[in-house]
Amino acid sequence: MTRTPSGNTRPIEATIRTDFRGAMDYGSYLGLDEILSAQHPVSDPAHHDELLFIIQHQTTELWLKLVVHELRAVRQYLDGDDLSRALKGLARVKHIQRTITEQWSVLATLTPSEYAEFRDTLGQASGFQSHQYRAVEFLLGNKNAAMLQVFRDKPAVHDQLALLLSEPTVYDAFLHLLARRGHAVPQDVLDRDVTQAWTERPELVTVFKTIYEHPHDHWELYAACEDLVDIEDAFQLWRFRHLRTVQRTIGFKTGTGGSSGVGFLKKALDLTFFPELISVRTEIDGPLGG
């Protein structure tokens, strides 16, 4: 007996649109023609694994674009005393960080032998040249004017980073919010030169100690502090996974952009965004102290 194939087929419902002449469809809305044709392997003939390498970095850049978008909004919400909206933005950033950190596991499937077969074709191209990564660092407090030199041949990018260099960070905005809510943030901290990288201010540990020892009196601020710590931890985890992926792929070779490679990446692990939020943990008194 002949059986009619139906169990493994899903009929198209009559209400589903199939004619998109003159109308916007999924692909055009997302610009998929441009996105899916933006992978251009430079190895000749194209090495099978170069597509993985390109897509890994392109998707990370897309997520970084969203991180920059969200952190700008978080800073704006903090400036406007809308802490609840700021917390929502920080929560979203944390989820993005988790996603881009896990992506390293995909790139880690690229073996040293496979990468060596097309690495030389990359020339001087390097993740060190990611302006969006620098934008995230600037927004969180790792300001470094010397980094602008890398982008001097790209005026639009250079100007974007120069603007972020001159603007307050997310942490600056948070500290100003604390001051407006009556916390004793020193005036010279509020008036600091925001073009400079953040350095730890011990006076702030006392401010955060009050919040951490009385969380129910300062619940939203307490939650914001912990969200910032989460952001820092996630960023450091991303840096560490980057380092380990590079090490397992090229060992201790120099980077394509001219850096010392793994050694240079290790130095980034010493950078911090919100040091007082770590230092305060040593000072907290109460039940959690044991």
Side-chain angles (χ1 to χ4, degrees), residues 4 49 55 61 65 104-105 127 133 149 189 198 229 240 242 246 249 268:
T4 302
D49 296 304
I55 289 177
E61 288 294 333
K65 181 175 182 177
W104 288 118
S105 63
Y133 176 83
Q149 300 175 40
V189 171
W198 180 266
V229 173
F240 181 73
H242 182 195
V246 169
T249 307

Side-chain angles (χ1 to χ4, degrees), residues 30-96:
L30 295 176
L32 290 183
D33 286 346
E34 293 82 6
I35 292 174
L36 298 180
S37 61
Q39 295 75 46
H40 307 290
V42 294
S43 53
D44 187 17
H47 191 284
H48 174 82
D49 296 304
E50 192 177 355
L51 186 62
L52 159 64
F53 191 81
I54 292 171
I55 289 177
Q56 165 84 23
H57 290 83
Q58 286 182 338
T59 52
T60 297
E61 288 294 333
L62 286 172
W63 284 122
L64 289 176
K65 181 175 182 177
L66 186 55
V67 170
V68 171
H69 177 71
E70 294 297 335
L71 289 179
R72 284 181 182 273
V74 166
R75 187 178 59 183
Q76 180 179 346
Y77 292 138
L78 292 173
D79 288 341
D81 290 299
D82 192 345
L83 188 54
S84 295
R85 292 285 294 275
L87 292 176
K88 172 65 184 299
L90 291 175
R92 180 172 293 169
V93 169
K94 288 192 290 183
H95 284 291
I96 298 169

Side-chain angles (χ1 to χ4, degrees), residues 12-13 29 41 52 58 70 91 96 110 131 156 165 242-243 279:
I12 297 178
E13 296 174 350
Y29 172 69
L52 159 64
Q58 286 182 338
E70 294 297 335
I96 298 169
L110 180 67
H131 71 275
L165 185 73
H242 182 195
L243 183 157
S279 294

Side-chain angles (χ1 to χ4, degrees), residues 87-253:
L87 292 176
K88 172 65 184 299
L90 291 175
R92 180 172 293 169
V93 169
K94 288 192 290 183
H95 284 291
I96 298 169
Q97 288 178 301
R98 187 177 301 115
T99 297
I100 63 175
T101 297
E102 183 55 33
Q103 283 186 184
W104 288 118
S105 63
V106 182
L107 191 61
T109 66
L110 180 67
T111 68
S113 300
E114 291 164 344
Y115 185 41
E117 291 174 355
F118 68 87
R119 183 175 187 250
D120 287 346
T121 65
L122 303 180
Q124 299 297 304
S126 166
F128 180 79
Q129 299 144 19
S130 169
H131 71 275
Q132 295 194 125
Y133 176 83
R134 298 301 164 203
V136 172
E137 283 201 319
F138 283 11
L139 279 162
L140 292 178
N142 285 162
K143 302 283 187 80
N144 187 345
M147 292 296 179
L148 296 181
Q149 300 175 40
V150 179
F151 308 100
R152 58 190 173 191
D153 296 326
K154 297 180 181 294
V157 170
H158 181 280
D159 291 348
Q160 176 192 353
L161 288 176
L163 179 61
L164 287 175
L165 185 73
S166 69
E167 293 177 341
T169 68
V170 168
Y171 198 36
D172 288 315
F174 182 54
L175 294 175
H176 277 266
L177 181 143
L178 288 179
R180 291 193 299 273
R181 295 197 176 188
H183 293 271
V185 179
Q187 190 61 45
D188 65 320
V189 171
L190 299 175
D191 296 336
R192 80 179 190 94
D193 180 358
V194 297
T195 67
Q196 299 300 306
W198 180 266
T199 55
E200 184 166 4
R201 296 295 300 264
E203 314 96 294
L204 289 175
V205 174
T206 302
V207 175
F208 290 124
K209 186 172 185 287
T210 298
I211 293 171
Y212 272 85
E213 289 184 346
H214 306 281
H216 294 293
D217 296 332
H218 311 284
W219 187 257
E220 271 198 324
L221 297 176
Y222 173 70
C225 289
E226 285 298 280
D227 277 347
L228 291 174
V229 173
D230 288 344
I231 295 286
E232 169 130 11
D233 282 353
F235 204 88
Q236 289 288 42
L237 180 58
W238 185 90
R239 283 170 167 163
F240 181 73
R241 288 291 299 274
H242 182 195
L243 183 157
R244 297 298 298 184
T245 302
V246 169
Q247 183 171 295
R248 70 175 286 161
T249 307
I250 66 169
F252 297 94
K253 294 177 181 177

